[in-house]
Amino acid sequence: NAGVTQTPKFQVLKTGQSMTLQCAQDMNHNSMYWYRQDPGMGLRLIYYSASEGTTDKGEVPNGYNVSRLNKREFSLRLESAAPSQTSVYFCAGAGGATGETQYFGPGTRLLVL
Amino acid sequence: RKEVEQDPGPFNVPEGATVAFNCTYSNSASQSFFWYRQDCRKEPKLLMSVYSSGNEDGRFTAQLNRASQYISLLIRDSKLSDSATYLCVVLAGNNRKLIWGLGTSLAVNP
């Protein structure tokens, strides 16, 4: 099992460009999440999907959109990248005995110039 | 007051030492508690859940103090490989929202 995978691993964008971060999981998780992690700010939830076909805003959704394409895949889109979106992005699925354990992908490092 | 607070450290300890971290939380209705470990430039990974009665996993012991609203992590016989950032996570509120602490940095030195 690959667990949670993310592509790309690294990306450099110019201000105003768009891109989609891909996430896939083979752990049969119902819930999936997108976080960003910045120095001194910790992990902040951007969007989450409690189940296939549903998405909800997290703490910092502005500038992002998401798609829960199916149970396995949850993508994050930046329509017009800004330098403030320079960050490390983590996708996670939730599972475990109580359904609360977060299993993270390896992250995408994004630099917006 | 932040919802989840941790001492950022860094904690510098020699191999073999015992080290303890605390994490305080503000929402008395918090339901579940976790410690995650994050290595440099890697993703967070679950270290252990924290149960009301306290729990132990090898060299790691986690405890919950609901009255004072904090959880703790004790690491005995520290190894070089324990060097990482330890994140405290609390599941709080009716919306079952996960709140992440900023982490405590640990460096175990030879």
Side-chain angles (χ1 to χ4, degrees):
Chain A
N1 286 350
V4 180
T5 58
Q6 291 182 236
T7 55
K9 287 187 168 53
F10 305 96
Q11 185 70 50
V12 179
L13 292 178
K14 294 180 180 177
T15 297
Q17 286 185 315
S18 62
M19 78 163 295
T20 299
L21 282 64
Q22 306 287 354
C23 174
Q25 52 97 5
D26 61 4
M27 306 176 79
N28 202 35
H29 292 156
N30 286 321
S31 300
M32 296 184 74
Y33 305 78
W34 275 106
Y35 292 91
R36 61 178 291 175
Q37 188 174 36
D38 304 286
M41 301 293 287
L43 277 163
R44 292 184 290 171
L45 183 64
I46 304 171
Y47 270 94
Y48 67 100
S49 171
S51 61
E52 184 180 350
T54 68
T55 61
D56 286 286
K57 294 178 180 179
E59 185 184 352
V60 288
N62 291 347
Y64 305 95
N65 286 301
V66 290
S67 294
R68 184 74 183 269
L69 304 169
N70 46 56
K71 189 170 186 179
R72 291 189 64 248
E73 298 172 287
F74 188 36
S75 62
L76 178 72
R77 182 159 179 84
L78 287 71
E79 290 291 352
S80 179
S84 60
Q85 294 178 304
T86 293
S87 188
V88 181
Y89 292 86
F90 289 106
C91 175
T98 58
E100 295 164 347
T101 302
Q102 302 258 303
Y103 295 88
F104 286 84
T108 294
R109 282 167 175 74
L110 176 66
L111 173 63
V112 183
L113 301 174
Chain B
R1 182 182 174 185
K2 291 182 183 176
E3 292 183 89
V4 173
E5 287 198 82
Q6 296 183 250
D7 181 344
F11 285 65
N12 285 287
V13 302
E15 268 187 292
T18 296
V19 62
F21 311 133
N22 280 345
C23 166
T24 59
Y25 60 93
S26 61
N27 188 337
S28 60
S30 297
Q31 301 149 345
S32 301
F33 309 87
F34 309 89
W35 285 103
Y36 280 70
R37 170 197 169 123
Q38 186 172 22
D39 293 294
C40 186
R41 301 181 69 78
K42 298 286 189 180
E43 72 273 23
K45 293 183 179 178
L46 179 69
L47 178 66
M48 57 198 304
S49 301
V50 185
Y51 302 125
S52 296
S53 55
N55 47 300
E56 189 174 306
D57 183 2
R59 297 180 294 107
F60 299 84
T61 300
Q63 293 195 311
L64 167 64
N65 185 317
R66 283 195 183 273
S68 300
Q69 294 184 203
Y70 74 86
I71 65 172
S72 64
L73 178 68
L74 181 78
I75 306 175
R76 290 182 299 277
D77 189 21
S78 299
K79 311 291 185 190
L80 295 176
S81 57
D82 293 334
S83 298
T85 296
Y86 291 84
L87 302 169
C88 168
V89 188
V90 175
L91 185 69
N94 293 332
N95 61 2
R96 300 179 63 76
K97 178 183 170 186
L98 273 179
I99 311 294
W100 294 79
L102 297 186
T104 297
S105 176
L106 171 65
V108 180
N109 304 306

